[in-house]
Amino acid sequence: MTELVKSFIAFASVITGVILIVFLFNGNVYYVGALICGILGVALLAGGITYFWSRSKFYKK
């Protein structure tokens, strides 16, 4: 995959992670599906941030 496609997937992952975390704190904490959405949201958010961090100038130092 090209660098542009990888960046787009990481950006989409961050946005989806934020949406899923917001869904978790929307008052649906009693449902198992909301908890799973929260866990997936954190994983997607962490993956996207890790991708961008590993390509930043601060990581290379």
Side-chain angles (χ1 to χ4, degrees), residues 1-24:
M1 283 193 285
T2 65
E3 194 66 29
L4 183 63
V5 173
K6 290 179 185 178
S7 296
F8 175 75
I9 291 173
F11 182 72
S13 162
V14 168
I15 296 299
T16 306
V18 169
I19 290 171
L20 290 176
I21 291 171
V22 167
F23 179 72
L24 171 68

Side-chain angles (χ1 to χ4, degrees), residues 20 24 31-41:
L20 290 176
L24 171 68
Y31 300 115
V32 176
L35 183 63
I36 292 173
C37 283
I39 293 170
L40 286 175

